[in-house]
């Protein structure tokens, strides 16, 4: 009797201290805070990492289009003027300017003056963009990847035959891109791109330009091990799926979950967790423990933001 009581007490303690992790990254349990709830997004998320301002397009419940700016440090939302529907988004981290593509053309938003102007390619429909010392872009339903410098578009000849759905340029200048449901890499200085992973991933880079890969079906998140040049498992997300994801200026993750149309900010907790796989498709799940890291060095909690729902 005593033993049963003792066991159940222990069990209760375990249950009571059991926490749920919205993501488990490098064995640290992350909790999410909602930035935006129940709005339909389309296109890319982009972030000015110096000011921690996040840019995105969304539709309100009357199907009106807005391009929004959310200041994570000041916890303040504002509209980007003269931009409704936009799809591609990229920020030049050195000037803080936002490049946003509309149904036609690329617009440039200067946040210091709070002004938007038509910037380039007013006849073209631009799909994805990234700014990495220059502007890279793809055209909607067209092959190839382009750069735009001094009012000139230039195709990258080695990629001119690929239909590119998503791409990133990492810290090495290597271009990872999704084409025909597989990930290819075009390494800087190489003659041609090569197959990297025979699966669908969504792609992003962190604040230091490290390449990250998110598998929408298993919910796993990976980065590139730059020594082995292979994928390294970072962890997994809880219930979310179909991601768009960016890293902010503190390398914290902001992601959009298509299933519930919410935009979230992830912050680390002091709890540890582990990631397992189950089923023949190796869907990932997070196992939480009641243990915690009291003095975990990687966990700089002083940079965590206090975000509550804004729209
Ligand atoms: C749309 O949003 C407004 C403001 O949040 C709300 O008052 C209204 O009930 C919503 N309408 C629908 C149809 O959901
Ligand atoms: C920029 O201008 C728009 C439209 O006038 C306004 O809604 C928005 O709040 C302004 N943004 C900032 C950061 O002042
Ligand atoms: C796409 O991949 C499939 C097989 O994985 C191949 O049969 C097909 O030819 C590829 N399509 C293109 C356009 O490369
Ligand atoms: C933790 O974050 C704060 C704010 O971003 C920063 O000032 C501080 O240097 C960081 N500390 C460590 C140990 O990284
Ligand atoms: C976070 O913000 C809420 C609402 O503004 C406030 O009640 C709470 O004390 C804040 N928490 C911290 C840790 O700053």
């Amino acid at each position: 009797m005593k033993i049963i009581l003792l066991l159940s007490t222990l069990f209760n303690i375990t249950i009571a201290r059991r926490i749920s992790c919205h993501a488990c990254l490098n064995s640290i349990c992350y909790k999410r805070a909602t930035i935006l709830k129940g709005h339909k997004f389309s296109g890319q998320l982009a972030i000015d990492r110096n000011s921690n301002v996040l840019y995105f397009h969304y539709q309100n419940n009357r199907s009106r289009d807005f391009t929004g700016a959310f200041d994570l440090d000041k916890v303040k939302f504002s509209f980007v003027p003269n931009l409704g529907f936009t799809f591609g988004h990229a920020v030049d981290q050195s000037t803080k300017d936002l490049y946003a593509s509309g149904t036609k053309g690329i617009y440039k938003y200067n946040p210091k003056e709070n002004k938007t102007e038509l910037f380039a390619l007013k006849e073209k429909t631009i799909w994805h963009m990234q700014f990495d010392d220059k502007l890279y872009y793809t055209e909607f339903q067209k092959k190839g990847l382009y750069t735009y410098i001094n009012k000139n578009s230039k195709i990258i000849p080695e990629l001119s035959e690929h239909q590119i759905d998503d791409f990133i340029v990492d810290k090495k200048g290597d271009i990872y891109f999704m084409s025909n449901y597989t990930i290819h890499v075009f390494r800087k200085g190489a003659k041609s791109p090569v197959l990297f992973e025979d699966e669908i991933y969504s792609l992003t880079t962190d604040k230091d330009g490290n390449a990250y890969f998110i598998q929408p079906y298993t919910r796993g998140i990976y980065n590139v091990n730059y020594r082995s040049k292979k994928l390294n498992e970072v962890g997994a997300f809880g219930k979310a799926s179909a991601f768009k994801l960016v890293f902010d200026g503190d390398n914290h993750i902001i992601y959009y979950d298509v299933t519930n149309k919410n935009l979230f900010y992830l912050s680390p907790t002091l709890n540890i967790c582990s990631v397992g796989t189950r089923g023949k498709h190796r869907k990932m799940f997070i196992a939480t423990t009641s243990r915690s890291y009291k003095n975990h060095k990687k966990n700089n909690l002083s940079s965590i933001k206090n975000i509550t729902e804004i729209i």
Side-chain angles (χ1 to χ4, degrees), residues 250 297 300-305:
D250 302 308
K297 286 193 199 73
N300 185 352
L301 294 176
S302 67
S303 60
I304 303 305
K305 291 165 188 64

Side-chain angles (χ1 to χ4, degrees), residues 28 44 48 74 84 141 148 154 179 212 262 268 284 310:
I28 297 171
Q44 294 177 285
D48 164 3
K74 294 183 187 137
Q141 291 185 339
Y148 191 84
K154 225 168 94 180
S179 180
Y212 276 77
N262 289 350
M284 292 171 128
I310 50 149

Side-chain angles (χ1 to χ4, degrees), residues 82-216:
N82 304 317
L83 284 182
F85 172 80
T86 51
F87 193 86
H89 301 109
V91 172
D92 177 350
Q93 302 296 337
S94 65
T95 62
K96 300 176 172 224
D97 291 337
L98 166 74
Y99 295 89
S101 66
T103 44
K104 291 264 190 255
I106 299 176
Y107 293 81
K108 186 166 102 173
Y109 169 63
N110 176 333
K112 285 168 226 139
E113 292 167 18
N114 197 24
K115 267 197 191 137
T116 304
E117 61 181 25
L118 181 61
F119 172 69
L121 305 170
K122 61 176 192 285
E123 306 298 331
K124 304 228 148 118
T125 303
I126 304 307
W127 185 236
H128 276 189
M129 295 192 283
Q130 187 182 331
F131 202 103
D132 184 76
D133 77 337
K134 53 183 167 281
L135 187 65
Y136 291 81
Y137 71 89
T138 53
E139 269 186 61
F140 181 57
Q141 291 185 339
K142 296 249 166 80
K143 288 179 177 173
L145 178 63
Y146 298 80
T147 56
Y148 191 84
I149 312 165
N150 298 330
K151 305 199 168 171
N152 274 309
S153 283
K154 225 168 94 180
I155 196 160
I156 297 176
E158 294 86 349
L159 304 183
S160 62
E161 287 309 308
H162 285 84
Q163 171 97 41
I164 295 174
D165 296 310
D166 191 8
F167 72 92
I168 47 170
V169 185
D170 77 353
K171 64 181 181 187
K172 305 239 180 216
D174 295 346
I175 300 168
Y176 292 87
F177 61 95
M178 193 168 80
S179 180
N180 196 16
Y181 307 104
T182 51
I183 304 290
H184 306 254
V185 58
F186 178 48
R187 297 193 196 284
K188 195 174 181 171
K191 287 209 176 71
S192 58
V194 291
L195 181 72
F196 185 67
E197 279 285 316
D198 192 10
E199 258 183 271
I200 299 174
Y201 290 91
S202 65
L203 308 172
T204 194
T205 49
D206 72 2
K207 95 183 222 287
D208 305 311
N210 296 300
Y212 276 77
F213 299 76
I214 302 99
Q215 221 290 324

